[in-house]
Amino acid sequence: MHLGSFPQTRLRRLRRTPALRRMVQETVLTVNDFIYPLFVVHGKGVRREVPSMPGVYQLSVDEAVREAEEVAALGIPAVILFGIPAHKDPIGTENFDPEGIIPKAIRAIKQAVPDLVVITDVCMCEYTDHGHCGIVREGEVVNDETLEIYGKVAVTHAQAGADMVAPSGMMDGQVAAIRRALDEAGYAHIPIMAYAAKYASHFYGPFRDAAQSPPQFGDRRGYQMNPANVREALREVALDIAEGADIVMVKPALAYLDVIRAVREAFPVPVAAYNVSGEYAMVKAAAQRGWLDERAVTLEILTAIKRAGADLILTYHAKEVAQWLHNAR
Ligand code: PBG
């Protein structure tokens, strides 16, 4: 490639006016890029703000429907649902109960806004009394027994009308198990968005307040990935694609842009990135103190995540950004 040299080449020529800058902009955020997370709780008229996530609420089903209507009106194509059950137990029974919180929310949202894509998180940590993402035996999270439950949960969500499921527990073989369970139940058309490269990150702290899901003993390093690894992420992604993943996710996003880039370059599948709770909380906290310009910084972060190679971004900022993008027109 001939790169040119000064004084023939002056890169500032194409930066001189807003219109010129617009013409050569390489990465453009749109509302189509976003997936908005919702936390659903039992009850009616509940709208409880998560202290570490200003602007994010635990919502009862009726309130979640209102939120979903707002999301759809803003042009955001999808939500991802997380449920907080009425009771927790060792295997998380409410997780695969057709009358559980998530099936209720799916049915209500699909009825109110049929075109909104409803994705569900398939995991166990919100539902288990020990707070781990699988069945625990003698202090260990056991893999293969957990897969059976994931399959049941995914089918329960599909039966309630979910458009896509997103396994996030980081058990080996979870995509294959869920794919098989869905196919056998007649849901071969339901895609899987796999949390493929999910790291054992401290950026999930505020989410665990929102979903009331912190592990009650130990941590998740026995199943989630070591933040120091990138080759391993490529193996996780390759396995998930081989098992039938339709979309693969890297999580978190901001501190893992190199992982997003590596996955983007190695695989021809849609890549999602999760701009997680801690990333959101940092921006909100600094903005509240007047230390950062929230709008500018958020747009810069999300553009960077897309520039790194993400096709889709799960972000708590989705509604605000959708508004900013509309107003900028
Ligand atoms: C469930 C799950 C978690 C997140 C998404 N799904 C928490 C965890 O693994 O502890 C985190 C999302 C966020 O921090 O915004 N396993």
Side-chain angles (χ1 to χ4, degrees):
M1 192 172 15
H2 182 249
L3 297 170
S5 61
F6 184 79
Q8 291 85 353
T9 306
R10 290 178 183 271
L11 293 176
R12 287 185 57 188
R13 284 182 198 125
L14 295 179
R15 294 178 195 148
R16 205 167 48 83
T17 69
L20 284 168
R21 291 195 290 271
R22 209 145 48 88
M23 289 167 72
V24 298
Q25 178 162 331
E26 299 174 30
T27 306
V28 181
L29 282 179
T30 84
V31 286
N32 298 329
D33 305 331
F34 302 134
I35 298 170
Y36 187 61
L38 293 178
F39 297 98
V40 193
V41 295
H42 286 282
K44 220 174 154 44
V46 181
R47 177 173 277 271
R48 201 179 300 129
E49 193 167 35
V50 180
S52 51
M53 300 177 75
V56 173
Y57 302 82
Q58 293 183 335
L59 305 162
S60 52
V61 171
D62 53 326
E63 292 288 328
V65 167
R66 282 181 38 187
E67 196 80 8
E69 287 168 340
E70 222 181 283
V71 167
L74 286 165
I76 297 164
V79 291
I80 181 164
L81 306 183
F82 297 95
I84 294 108
H87 301 287
K88 299 183 190 246
D89 61 46
I91 62 163
T93 309
E94 189 180 320
N95 209 358
F96 43 88
D97 178 350
E99 293 309 313
I101 186 66
I102 287 296
K104 277 189 181 149
I106 297 167
R107 288 192 292 266
I109 292 172
K110 287 307 291 183
Q111 193 180 355
V113 259
D115 292 338
L116 185 69
V117 175
V118 173
I119 307 171
T120 58
D121 188 83
V122 173
C123 195
M124 286 173 61
C125 55
E126 296 97 336
Y127 297 85
T128 52
D129 50 13
H130 46 71
H132 277 287
C133 304
I135 294 178
V136 174
R137 298 227 183 278
E138 286 154 27
E140 285 276 337
V141 177
V142 294
N143 197 88
D144 298 14
E145 278 175 77
T146 298
L147 299 182
E148 271 175 60
I149 296 198
Y150 286 179
K152 281 207 274 189
V153 173
V155 169
T156 306
H157 293 174
Q159 281 167 342
D163 297 297
M164 191 184 302
V165 295
S168 70
M170 288 301 281
M171 295 299 120
D172 288 327
Q174 63 183 15
V175 174
I178 288 171
R179 186 69 276 158
R180 193 175 329 112
L182 287 173
D183 289 0
E184 281 171 10
Y187 297 101
H189 59 289
I190 297 295
I192 298 175
M193 176 169 70
Y195 287 72
K198 178 175 177 181
Y199 288 87
S201 171
H202 288 278
F203 284 102
Y204 306 154
F207 172 96
R208 292 176 188 175
D209 294 341
Q212 295 164 359
S213 63
Q216 299 303 305
F217 68 88
D219 54 44
R220 302 207 202 292
R221 286 183 290 184
Y223 39 105
Q224 298 180 348
M225 286 181 56
N226 181 342
N229 295 354
V230 65
R231 293 191 300 263
E232 188 186 355
L234 297 178
R235 297 187 74 194
E236 282 284 1
V237 170
L239 267 174
D240 281 7
I241 293 172
E243 290 177 24
D246 300 280
I247 300 173
V248 294
M249 193 198 299
V250 174
K251 179 184 171 198
L254 195 47
Y256 297 82
L257 296 178
D258 58 322
V259 182
I260 298 171
R261 166 58 38 191
V263 170
R264 165 76 295 144
E265 284 178 358
F267 303 100
V269 300
V271 176
Y274 203 139
N275 176 220
V276 300
S277 57
E279 300 172 0
Y280 174 84
M282 289 195 299
V283 172
K284 283 284 174 191
Q288 280 182 351
R289 285 163 180 72
W291 293 349
L292 282 178
D293 175 339
E294 180 174 13
R295 182 178 183 279
V297 161
T298 302
L299 290 171
E300 186 173 332
I301 288 172
L302 297 176
T303 301
I305 294 169
K306 190 165 180 190
R307 189 195 64 228
D311 303 290
L312 295 165
I313 306 172
L314 295 88
T315 179
Y316 304 99
H317 265 120
K319 281 173 50 190
E320 286 158 294
V321 176
Q323 248 138 14
W324 297 333
L325 294 176
H326 284 303
N327 297 343
R329 290 252 180 83

